[in-house]
Amino acid sequence: MKNRGSMIFAMVLALVVIAAIALMVVFNKKDVKTDDTAATTNKDVETSTDYSKIDVTGQPMLGDKDAPVTLIEFGDYKCPACKYFDMEIQPKLVDKYIKNGDLKMYFINTPFHGEESLTGAHAAEAVLKNEPKKYWDFHNALFEAQPNDNHSTTDEWLTTDVVKNAAEKAGVKDVDKIVKAAEDKTETAAVDEDVTLNQKYMISQTPTVIINGQLLSDPLKLESIEKAIEDAKK
């Protein structure tokens, strides 16, 4: 009986060891997968939550450069919520705060939704570089071109034809140059600079809105934005 008991104990022990080895293999595989995912970002970027330090040099600005309140939007032309912000909220902020010199706004590309997000970002950066006075008209025309119906960010619509139509609507002189920039992704340096800012400040949603260094918890609520602006003016 003792021998039989010892044999059973040995078998159980062996199964425990085998299970432990199997678990180690599984966890090691998970670690590799996590590393692979992390490798898609720039590991050299030092992260920060001090939004007052965001460098907006070279970013498109709407308003008076000396305005006391600064609003920064991290957005994506493929993002329906960004369209709502830019089409519904931004015009109200322009009328109430930008026209009287209280507020200036910046837009930083946050291409979260694949190839078409990059198409929009490269096109916008090309307009900013070549015909900066047309930037905001083009910016708004791209958002206006976004489908109004309920749609997913994976739906395909932001094509070079859309870029062309937006550029024409904005009155861009060299439309072909903007279309080529969108097609060939020529504005890599500017777009990469924006992506680095996304990573540095750990931007995880669009739109992300920051007012004088303060991150807004509800960037789609006009009352919250106006309160943040009024508080920043004090």
Side-chain angles (χ1 to χ4, degrees):
M1 293 292 291
K2 285 184 180 180
N3 289 339
R4 185 178 178 184
S6 298
M7 185 179 298
I8 292 172
F9 176 77
M11 290 174 64
V12 170
L13 182 61
L15 289 172
V16 170
V17 171
I18 291 170
I21 292 172
L23 284 172
M24 288 173 65
V25 171
V26 169
F27 283 125
N28 283 337
K29 285 184 178 179
K30 285 184 178 178
D31 288 343
V32 170
K33 185 175 182 181
T34 301
D35 288 343
D36 288 345
T37 302
T40 61
T41 63
N42 186 348
K43 292 182 179 180
D44 294 331
V45 175
E46 182 179 348
T47 59
S48 172
T49 55
D50 185 356
Y51 304 113
S52 67
K53 302 294 187 185
I54 295 175
D55 184 2
V56 293
T57 304
Q59 300 294 347
M61 184 191 73
L62 182 62
D64 186 336
K65 65 180 177 60
D66 295 321
V69 183
T70 299
L71 184 153
I72 300 171
E73 177 194 358
F74 287 85
D76 185 332
Y77 292 108
K78 289 270 289 182
C79 161
C82 297
K83 175 177 181 175
Y84 178 83
F85 182 87
D86 279 79
M87 295 290 96
E88 301 298 328
I89 293 178
Q90 179 183 296
K92 295 178 175 67
L93 299 180
V94 169
D95 288 341
K96 190 170 183 178
Y97 297 107
I98 291 180
K99 285 182 178 179
N100 67 10
D102 286 335
L103 177 71
K104 58 181 177 289
M105 293 179 59
Y106 293 91
F107 183 85
I108 297 176
N109 290 298
T110 310
F112 277 174
H113 304 299
E115 189 68 17
E116 289 192 353
S117 293
L118 289 170
T119 296
H122 281 264
E125 291 292 351
V127 174
L128 181 65
K129 180 171 76 174
N130 293 286
E131 299 183 45
K133 291 183 179 179
K134 299 296 184 181
Y135 172 83
W136 288 102
D137 289 335
F138 177 78
H139 171 94
N140 291 335
L142 266 192
F143 274 122
E144 287 171 3
Q146 189 183 122
N148 289 321
D149 302 332
N150 291 332
H151 68 283
S152 167
T153 54
T154 59
D155 292 346
E156 295 183 359
W157 64 268
L158 211 171
T159 63
T160 51
D161 284 340
V162 169
V163 169
K164 180 180 179 181
N165 291 337
E168 290 173 346
K169 185 174 183 178
V172 171
K173 292 179 182 178
D174 195 342
V175 173
D176 290 342
K177 179 179 282 190
I178 306 308
V179 171
K180 183 171 177 57
E183 217 165 31
D184 297 344
K185 306 295 186 291
T186 62
E187 303 308 307
T188 302
V191 174
D192 283 355
E193 184 177 332
D194 288 358
V195 170
T196 297
L197 289 173
N198 299 166
Q199 294 172 2
K200 180 177 178 64
Y201 293 98
M202 297 176 285
I203 304 303
S204 60
Q205 68 176 30
T206 53
T208 289
V209 175
I210 295 160
I211 295 178
N212 273 22
Q214 299 299 311
L215 179 69
L216 267 63
S217 60
D218 192 351
L220 298 180
K221 190 173 181 181
L222 180 61
E223 294 79 4
S224 299
I225 297 170
E226 289 182 338
K227 183 180 185 306
I229 293 171
E230 294 295 340
D231 290 345
K233 285 167 58 180
K234 294 175 182 176

